[in-house]
Amino acid sequence: MALIVQKYGGTSVGTIERIQRVADRVEKTLRDGHQVVVVLSAMSGETDRLIKLAHEVTATPDDREMDMLLSTGERVTIALLAMELRGRGVDARSFTGRQVGIMTDSAHTKARIARVTSGRLREALDQGVVPVVAGFQGINERSDVTTLGRGGSDLSAVAVAAALKADRCFIFTDVDGVYTADPNIVPAAKRIDKISYEEMLEMASLGAKVLQTRSVEFAAKFNVPVEVNSSFKEGKGTLVT
């Protein structure tokens, strides 16, 4: 039995039908005999919608209040997936970043993770519960909500995987791995089966947007095997190790 963290991006949870597809994959992972923790982004477009609302109120929204606003997007998706899983008879429970102890510094809208206190997640797993965790967010030492910047849900997933010493962290997205070039531009681009953290960081610095740079740095620091895979088709992705 392996302990697996699965992270799903905004396109993967963009509709109820896609959330149901995520639930299918979670159920399959459980049937295969594994423990699973799920980390979710907000629905695609939701963060941009919230930012637009803020700027309709004021031209210069306060960073602390922006974090409070933007952190609501992931709360929607985690609650919906937990409801879907519970409706199928799977004991699932949603958790905010605060509830699972994702502690950050106080740099609002671009906070850095200081530590993850994984006690509540371990307790849930020991009880047979599937934790569904809000990515992109944490709290600082004053208990203020913080967010981790664009792509921060990848970082949340890797940090949770590191804290739990998970066997693998899957990043499910709308691409099926890391390619030698952008396949939308270069039709002959090939998917890479395995890549080192250093190579992945170099690709990210050159503009590859498959993984957030900080999440790769975090994975390298704590030796978390990360696999980039597609939410929309079966098959192996790219292992970053």
Side-chain angles (χ1 to χ4, degrees):
M1 179 176 72
L3 173 54
I4 292 170
V5 174
Q6 296 179 348
K7 180 263 175 179
Y8 295 90
T11 55
S12 305
V13 292
T15 64
I16 294 301
E17 291 74 18
R18 289 183 176 182
I19 288 173
Q20 290 167 340
R21 199 175 301 170
V22 168
D24 292 340
R25 197 182 292 269
V26 172
E27 276 195 305
K28 182 180 184 303
T29 306
L30 294 172
R31 286 197 304 271
D32 289 342
H34 305 306
Q35 289 181 304
V36 60
V37 177
V38 185
V39 178
L40 299 183
S41 297
M43 288 180 165
S44 53
E46 179 63 11
T47 301
D48 288 338
R49 186 185 74 85
L50 293 171
I51 291 171
K52 183 173 181 289
L53 285 176
H55 283 93
E56 288 177 4
V57 172
T58 172
T60 55
D62 177 78
D63 284 347
R64 180 187 180 278
E65 301 310 325
M66 282 298 289
D67 276 354
M68 186 67 80
L69 176 66
L70 297 183
S71 67
T72 63
E74 285 71 22
R75 289 183 178 223
V76 173
T77 50
I78 61 172
L80 290 173
L81 179 60
M83 290 175 188
E84 175 66 28
L85 288 167
R86 292 181 71 85
R88 299 176 181 214
V90 175
D91 193 0
R93 198 169 304 154
S94 62
F95 295 94
T96 64
R98 177 197 191 104
Q99 289 170 324
V100 297
I102 297 177
M103 307 298 300
T104 75
D105 63 17
S106 293
H108 284 292
T109 74
K110 51 183 182 297
R112 300 186 75 87
I113 293 177
R115 65 186 185 280
V116 178
T117 57
S118 59
R120 194 161 183 189
L121 283 175
R122 290 197 177 280
E123 180 183 343
L125 289 166
D126 289 345
Q127 293 172 354
V129 172
V130 175
V132 183
V133 180
F136 178 64
Q137 62 183 252
I139 58 165
N140 63 19
E141 295 296 342
R142 294 172 57 86
S143 293
D144 289 330
V145 174
T146 55
T147 64
L148 308 177
R150 286 289 185 178
S153 293
D154 287 355
L155 180 57
S156 300
V158 172
V160 165
L164 293 171
K165 295 181 170 55
D167 296 283
R168 187 160 296 191
C169 178
F170 287 89
I171 305 293
F172 287 103
T173 182
D174 52 1
V175 296
D176 62 348
V178 180
Y179 280 73
T180 53
D182 186 340
N184 295 315
I185 300 171
V186 184
K190 303 292 186 184
R191 184 176 57 78
I192 301 167
D193 290 329
K194 183 185 283 190
I195 189 171
S196 70
Y197 298 122
E198 293 77 14
E199 289 171 310
M200 189 67 242
L201 279 171
E202 184 177 353
M203 290 183 73
S205 71
L206 294 172
K209 298 177 181 178
V210 178
L211 280 177
Q212 188 214 46
T213 304
R214 283 195 292 162
S215 65
V216 182
E217 292 171 343
F218 208 98
K221 180 178 180 180
F222 293 98
N223 198 30
V224 177
V226 176
E227 184 170 327
V228 181
N229 217 318
S230 171
S231 293
F232 306 111
K233 60 182 181 182
E234 297 297 326
K236 286 192 173 297
T238 298
L239 179 63
V240 186
T241 186

